[in-house]
Each structure stands twice: as structure tokens, then as C-alpha cells.
Amino acid sequence: MLPELAPEAAAESPDTEVTDAPAYLSRLNPEQRAAVEYDGDAPLLIIAGAGSGKTNTLAHRVAHLVVNGADPRRILLLTFSRRAASEMGRRVERIVDQALGIQTGAGRAALQWSGTFHAIGARLLREYAETLGLAPTFTISDRGDAADLMHVVRHDLGLSEQTSRFPRKETCLAIYSRVVNTQLPLEVVLKTQFPRYAMWADALKGLFAAYVEAKQKQQVLDYDDLLLYWAQAMTEPALAQDMGARFDHVLVDEYQDTNALQASILLALKPQGRGLTVVGDDAQSIYAFRGATVRNILDFPTQFSPPAEQVTLSQNYRSTQPILGAANAVIGLAAERFTKDLWSLRESAEKPGVVVVNDEAEQARFVVEQVLARREAGLSLTQQAVLFRAADHSAQVEIELARRNIPFVKFGGLKFLESTHVKDVMAVVRWLENPRDRMAGFRTLQLLPGIGPKTAARVLEGLEAATEPLIALEAFEPPPAAAPAWDELVTLARALMAPTSPWPSEFEQVIAWYMPHLERMHDDAAARQADLQQIERIAATYASRERFLTELTLDPPSASSDESGVPSRDEDYLILSTIHSAKGQEWKAVYVLNAVDGCMPSDLATGTTEEIEEERRLLYVAMTRARDHLDIVVPQRFYVHNQVGFGDRHVYASRTRFLPNRVMPNFYSRSWPPAPMPGEGQQAKASLPQVDLASRMRGMWK
């Protein structure tokens, strides 16, 4: 277990009043203020427990730096979502204006360099493109396009015709991504994560080499390349020094969710650690499936000389003390962690519940009845949430909610940029931005009537060989059936490949060109048109085509109007969410489903100690989403899949190993439905004549 190196300020009573604090720091507790005001030579690690005001503390630290003379243009803030960066910007602006007493906008200026690792990486790669041998106009492909390109390369190498099963394009991309982000050898990744494909190690190496060559030929970078190229650039000492010298302060949010590449970039930016601040919670590291490793935050203090200073934020502003006591007991059994026990001033007599039910159907009925009971007690549906390990665990609950006519929203669904019509428009813009982007060109050309895959391939081969793509496009002789549409495409290409009008009028031209094709290809063109109008409005918010393409690829919207279903007419609805999607959220009442071995931990995540520990952290994250009420449900009986319809083969499950007997005093354990009291529910029976069935049975054989 790692020792806790909490600062002296953290040892003060939480009620201690700090009289000499500036007004803008007066609402911080002693631990938060120690983190905000730290000015040592060593890097700073802020261990921020769930609900401890992490975002507020980080925003105050940025603002404090600006107020005390730090150059706003030399502060780099790395977050894990664009929304988080924007929210941080707004908070910093408010704090700086409060400190200075005037509306200066200095806070907004402080975050000129703020965003996700991938967005900042893309920005720096464009600035250093010539030095790195990249085309400044490179395009960024999303996961779908990257998988399609992987499929093309896979097919060209003849790997799709193997007698034994070769991984699908999505699996190939997942393997490639895992190797890149973990920086582990391919053989190790295959052995630990994809053992059924270990026999294809050599073929996959050849596939990935050809995939990289195809991307470079087309001047395309995929999502993982943004980190990989950045990290590789940082291995050159002169480049690393130049990039690192641009920033006096580097601050990283959610450091427990970083992968090996991101950690290497950070250490190369600030090898001595001065000016480096990372914030995170090792107990909430739950994204190993994306390549994240909890080792980054656990090993951070010892990676520098002198070692990193550590501040622990242990006061929780979200949950009641009984809920925190139970969560502390669960995470206290972790094999390795930073020592911290969350505490709260919010007292309550209600312990979190562990509720034992017969099966999943009973579980659904319990949850729904509790939801309704708390709604009648004044707790709206939106203040309650049902959390689960995997998306399919909520099936029975969804059926019961629908039967009871209770509106609910389940996180997930088709992504906005995955809808066909939006992908079409984005492909046109990407291709005309970078004519060597083969996948975007392939999709664009096949929008034209009379042009199929073979003709599209001939066009793209001509563009690759030409020094001026536009001239090659104008010189191409299309099939007679495609001639009218071809002329319109060439006119559009002239306008966008050598733009004479300012952005976003270029995008308006693309939409105008695409509309006839939309009406020709889709019966529901009117519904889809709403999406195109939406993306046109989004385009107008960006200064250039390059920024629009980059940002929309790295941080896409999450819903599509023609696929999202009928909107709920009831303003109040219940939240259903996986635990991964619930991270960072909070509700007054939380119900955790299927707290049994096989579901939590998942039976697919018990192969190593590291996997089991991450599953333990998942339960901890679920528990710390609750403010006032927490119910953990334990179904005892699970019906076996792949049996005759309505068959009764079943197994009995045991309570999750993360809730052993030693932690149960922190919970109120009960079964549901409660057993009837003696005499309860019994009705007086009518007087009936006695029947001697035993003699009748014997008489059958006489």
C-alpha cells in the first residue's frame, strides 16, 4: 500500500477558518487551498476523491496562476472531453474576474491551450507538420473510416480469404489501437487480450505495416496516430525541448485514465516536473479496456527527483457519511492504492442497502417499486438512476418500466456522425480538403449515379499519380450516365480545392450540392435534412474548415434526429446507465443491479489481479454516485441461456466478492419481498367435508 503524503494543511480541522485567504479562495477547504496555492519545484499530484470538488480545485489553481502573473498563453490544460475544457474555461474566467474585480476576460485567455490530449496533439502536429514530414492539410479519420481502410488493406493482402477465421476489420483496428496505446509488443497484446488470434501474429504485423503505409500515402491520421505521432516527436530531444518550452504550466485532469502514450508525452514535456500538476483518483481508474493504466497515477510521485508533492482531497460534498463509510470499506480491500478515507458533513441515519431478491424479474420489480415509492415521497425520477456493469443487465428492468408506463432514458444509441447522410457530407468535405484521402474520395464518388467502385477506384488512382489533383479530376472522362452529375462535382471541387469564398460558405455549397443526392437516395429525406441543417449550424461556429473537421472528428455530437426515436413527452424520466457512462454524474438515489460474481466482477474480467481490481473500482464508482440513497441488489437465481423456451434450468449466484462479510456492517442487509408475518395474509377457510385420499389411493390397486 502506498503511503499518503498529505500536506500539513490537510491535517487542519475542516472547520478551521482561514482568515488571510483572498476572497476568491475563501470558499475552499484547507486541502483544496493547499493544492491551489502550491508553488514548489516538484510536480504536484492531487488525489481527488469522488465528489471532493476536483474540477473546482483545478479551476481555482489555473485562475490563481493567472492572478499571480503567469502568462495566460503559456498554460496548457489537458482534459478528457471538450466539454470539460469549456466548463473549466468558464469557471476560470469567473474566478479571475472575481479576483481582479473587473470583467477582463483574462480567464478565457488563460485557456487558449486547453482541450483533450488528441485535440492538442492534432494542433501541435499541424504547427510542426513540415518539421515532422507531415502534410499540413492531413485529415483525421474517425473510427468508422479507419476500420474501412483496414478492411481494404486486409482484402488487398488476401487475408479475408483465409481458411481459418481471420479477425474482422473492427477487431483488427482494436488490436492495432491496443498495441499503440499500451506500447506493448503485439505478441503480448494478443496473448493477454485477444488469445484466439495469437496464431495470426505475423499476418497482423504485415497488415498493420500496410495499413500505416496506406494512411501515409493518403495523408491521413487516425485517432490513435494523434498520440503516437506526438509521442514519437517528443523522443527527439530538440523537439521535446521546443514544445516543452512553450508552456510554463501543464495541468492534467483525470490522470488515472491516461494510457502509456499520454504519460510518455507528459514526461517528455516536463522531464523535471516543474510546473506540472496532475489530478486524479486511483480508485476511479476504470478504463483499462481503452488502454488506460492505473500505474500512471500510482507511480507518478516516484518518477521525479525530488518526488512529486501530494495533496489529498478527502472531504466529500456529494454523499452522506454512511454511503461514504460503505464505499471506503469496499475500496479499502484494494491490493494497492493511495490511502484516503472520504468523509462528509452530511450525516444520515440511513445505511446503504444490500437487497437479496430471488431472480432478475424480482430485481426489476423491487427497483421499480422503490423508484415509485421515492417518487411519491418527493424524489423526481430524474434524481434517481439505475446503474449496471453491462448494457444487457437492464433488460428485465426496461420491460418492467415499460409495463408500468414509467418513462426512462438509457445512455447509448447511434452516434450523430455515424448516420449515413452526415457521413456522406463529411466525406465530401474531407476529400476536397485532402484529395489523397482515399476512403473519403471513395464514398464521395459513389454518391454520383453511374459511378461504381471500379470507376471510383480509377479516379482515385489518377489523383494519386497527379501532382495537381484538380487538373486530374477535370481531365477524367466519366461514364455517359454520370456525365451531368460529374460536371457538378468538378464545379464544387474547383470552389473547395482552391477556395475563394470564406468558411463556412464552402460548407453551404457542399450541402447545396448534396441535397439532390439525398432526395434521390433516401425516402425520409425531410427528416435527414434536419441533421444537415444542424451540422451546417455547427460548421458556422468554427473559424476554418480544418478546425471544423478536426474538432468534429475528435469530439462528435452523440445523437441523430432521424434515429433517436420518439422524444419523451414526460419531462420526468428515470436514468438507466452503465457504470462507465455514469462516471462524473450524481443522483440522490442509486440502484446497482446484479451485484453477484459473474456480473460484478464480470466473468470475462477475472483472469488477472489487475482486472479484478478494476472491477472493484467499478463498484466503488457506482456507489459514490449516490447522494442520499443507495441500494445494491443481489439476485440469487439466473436462468441459463440457450435452453428451450421458458425452460427452467438455472444457476445460483453468490454475492459479489467485493462485499465480503467484513464490510457488511456498513450496510443494511435485507431480502425482498419481506417474508409475511405469522398469521399475516391467512384467510379463514370455509368448513369443508373431510376426504380420505390415502384410502382411495390404496383402493386403486385392490
Side-chain angles (χ1 to χ4, degrees):
M1 186 173 294
L2 296 179
E4 184 177 10
L5 305 174
E8 294 180 4
E12 299 179 33
S13 167
D15 299 322
T16 302
E17 291 192 12
V18 183
T19 55
D20 60 342
Y24 68 95
L25 299 181
S26 60
R27 301 185 66 179
L28 302 179
N29 66 38
E31 297 166 323
Q32 293 172 332
R33 190 178 165 197
V36 168
E37 295 184 318
Y38 175 74
D39 190 29
D41 291 332
L44 175 63
L45 169 62
I46 304 173
I47 299 295
S52 62
K54 159 180 72 67
T55 303
N56 191 43
T57 303
L58 193 57
H60 274 83
R61 178 156 177 77
V62 176
H64 184 72
L65 292 171
V66 176
V67 171
N68 285 272
D71 187 346
R73 296 163 298 182
R74 296 178 62 81
I75 296 176
L76 172 62
L77 174 63
L78 293 164
T79 63
F80 272 78
S81 71
R82 190 170 65 177
R83 182 181 173 189
S86 300
E87 172 62 21
M88 200 76 70
R90 286 191 291 270
R91 291 197 188 197
V92 171
E93 187 172 11
R94 287 197 300 269
I95 299 165
V96 171
D97 287 342
Q98 178 193 348
L100 300 179
I102 50 175
Q103 300 291 320
T104 62
R108 183 66 64 184
L111 293 183
Q112 287 181 358
W113 282 91
S114 71
T116 65
F117 270 93
H118 294 87
I120 297 296
R123 187 173 168 185
L124 287 171
L125 289 176
R126 289 200 193 278
E127 287 197 18
Y128 289 85
E130 293 184 3
T131 305
L132 300 173
L134 293 170
T137 58
F138 70 81
T139 53
I140 303 168
S141 60
D142 59 22
R143 291 290 185 191
D145 289 338
D148 289 342
L149 181 57
M150 184 74 76
H151 178 67
V152 170
V153 175
R154 176 175 172 269
H155 181 73
D156 290 345
L157 293 176
L159 295 173
S160 56
E161 301 171 1
Q162 300 291 337
T163 53
S164 298
R165 186 180 61 160
F166 195 79
R168 298 167 57 218
K169 62 181 183 181
E170 293 86 0
T171 308
C172 292
L173 187 65
I175 296 171
Y176 172 83
S177 181
R178 178 58 69 106
V179 170
V180 168
N181 285 299
T182 60
Q183 293 293 282
L184 294 173
L186 174 62
E187 290 78 10
V188 174
V189 170
L190 289 174
K191 183 180 178 181
T192 55
Q193 301 295 326
F194 304 90
R196 58 193 175 281
Y197 301 123
M199 59 183 289
W200 294 111
D202 292 338
L204 284 167
K205 275 186 181 177
L207 171 64
F208 297 156
Y211 173 64
V212 170
E213 287 182 13
K215 287 188 295 182
Q216 292 178 351
K217 193 175 181 181
Q218 299 176 30
Q219 298 174 2
V220 169
L221 270 63
D222 65 24
Y223 198 67
D224 299 312
D225 287 337
L226 297 173
L227 294 183
L228 182 61
Y229 276 58
W230 189 8
Q232 287 295 320
M234 299 299 283
T235 59
E236 187 64 38
L239 267 173
Q241 186 177 356
D242 191 72
M243 284 192 193
R246 299 172 68 127
F247 308 109
D248 295 329
H249 300 277
V250 179
L251 301 97
V252 186
D253 195 11
E254 305 286 6
Y255 192 62
Q256 78 279 352
D257 294 332
T258 53
N259 58 37
L261 270 181
Q262 291 163 326
S264 70
I265 291 168
L266 205 61
L267 293 176
L269 277 173
K270 294 293 175 186
Q272 306 305 316
R274 180 160 180 83
L276 179 59
T277 300
V278 302
V279 184
D281 182 5
D282 56 295
Q284 297 188 68
S285 178
I286 59 174
Y287 291 107
F289 66 93
R290 294 181 185 170
T293 171
V294 72
R295 296 288 352 149
N296 285 350
I297 192 168
L298 290 175
D299 298 339
F300 183 82
T302 59
Q303 290 177 316
F304 302 91
S305 183
E309 186 70 23
Q310 183 181 317
V311 177
T312 302
L313 308 183
S314 55
Q315 182 176 355
N316 180 283
Y317 295 91
R318 175 187 298 155
S319 307
T320 62
Q321 186 57 46
I323 291 175
L324 293 179
N328 289 335
V330 168
I331 202 64
L333 301 177
E336 186 179 15
R337 70 184 188 107
F338 288 111
T339 305
K340 66 176 178 304
D341 284 327
L342 298 180
W343 59 274
S344 174
L345 295 173
R346 299 185 65 230
E347 293 293 341
S348 173
E350 179 185 332
K351 287 185 177 182
V354 172
V355 185
V356 179
V357 297
N358 184 46
D359 55 23
E360 288 182 286
E362 290 283 287
Q363 174 177 248
R365 284 193 286 275
F366 165 76
V367 168
V368 171
E369 290 197 11
Q370 284 292 103
V371 165
L372 291 175
R374 285 178 174 145
R375 180 176 178 268
E376 291 302 313
L379 207 60
S380 66
L381 295 179
T382 53
Q383 294 175 313
Q384 305 184 63
V386 181
L387 306 184
F388 32 86
R389 172 64 178 86
D392 61 323
H393 290 179
S394 65
Q396 287 281 0
V397 174
E398 292 176 46
I399 293 170
E400 187 69 12
L401 289 168
R403 189 178 72 82
R404 303 272 193 113
N405 200 28
I406 300 172
F408 66 91
V409 172
K410 185 176 179 180
F411 285 104
L414 186 73
K415 302 294 185 185
F416 180 76
L417 293 185
E418 292 174 3
S419 50
T420 303
H421 50 296
V422 176
K423 282 183 74 75
D424 288 344
V425 170
M426 294 299 295
V428 176
V429 180
R430 267 202 305 271
W431 184 52
L432 297 178
E433 170 76 7
N434 175 17
R436 302 195 188 279
D437 187 337
R438 192 174 181 88
M439 300 313 300
F442 206 69
R443 187 179 189 103
T444 301
L445 290 167
Q446 291 187 86
L447 294 174
L448 306 185
I451 292 187
K454 289 185 178 179
T455 306
R458 282 197 293 120
V459 175
L460 294 173
E461 286 166 5
L463 291 182
E464 286 179 8
T467 53
E468 290 292 335
L470 181 57
I471 295 175
L473 205 63
E474 292 173 332
F476 183 79
E477 290 289 336
W486 181 263
D487 292 340
E488 294 173 1
L489 178 63
V490 171
T491 303
L492 180 68
R494 289 195 193 100
L496 269 74
M497 285 184 179
T500 55
S501 53
W503 180 264
S505 62
E506 302 163 25
F507 193 80
E508 295 169 4
Q509 295 176 52
V510 171
I511 296 291
W513 174 84
Y514 179 70
M515 283 307 300
H517 300 289
L518 177 73
E519 294 168 357
R520 174 173 55 82
M521 294 185 295
H522 300 286
D523 294 332
D524 57 345
R528 295 173 184 263
Q529 191 175 349
D531 282 343
L532 300 184
Q533 292 170 349
Q534 175 66 16
I535 200 166
E536 190 174 345
R537 287 192 291 271
I538 293 172
T541 64
Y542 292 94
S544 67
R545 179 166 62 186
E546 175 268 312
R547 293 300 303 162
F548 167 70
L549 288 172
T550 300
E551 294 291 340
L552 216 62
T553 303
L554 296 180
D555 191 18
S558 60
S560 169
S561 62
D562 70 313
E563 299 287 349
S564 62
V566 180
S568 174
R569 289 185 292 271
D570 196 324
E571 293 182 357
D572 198 19
Y573 51 83
L574 183 67
I575 304 294
L576 272 59
S577 173
T578 62
I579 300 171
H580 286 99
S581 297
K583 189 168 175 287
Q585 308 291 315
E586 61 180 59
W587 296 272
K588 288 189 176 180
V590 168
Y591 311 88
V592 183
L593 304 184
N594 290 359
V596 298
D597 268 14
C599 295
M600 194 181 296
S602 167
D603 52 6
L604 300 177
T606 54
T608 64
T609 302
E610 289 79 11
E611 288 177 322
I612 294 172
E613 289 301 316
E614 175 151 332
E615 294 290 305
R616 187 192 314 274
R617 295 193 292 268
L618 264 174
L619 177 59
Y620 175 79
V621 168
M623 292 173 66
T624 52
R625 301 310 96 196
R627 288 179 56 84
D628 302 321
H629 312 284
L630 172 63
D631 287 304
I632 300 175
V633 193
V634 182
Q636 292 185 298
R637 179 184 300 189
F638 286 81
Y639 289 95
V640 179
H641 293 288
N642 298 326
Q643 60 177 311
V644 177
F646 303 105
D648 60 359
R649 285 195 295 129
H650 59 272
V651 296
Y652 280 100
S654 58
R655 189 178 70 217
T656 173
R657 68 188 72 180
F658 305 138
L659 296 177
N661 290 338
R662 75 181 88 165
V663 308
M664 291 309 293
N666 295 282
F667 297 88
Y668 171 57
S669 185
R670 68 189 192 276
S671 59
W672 190 93
M677 298 295 290
E680 185 181 339
Q682 295 181 1
Q683 298 178 353
K685 295 181 180 178
S687 179
L688 297 172
Q690 293 289 319
V691 180
D692 189 359
L693 288 181
S695 63
R696 292 187 184 184
M697 297 303 106
R698 293 193 301 270
M700 287 177 63
W701 307 103
K702 291 181 180 178

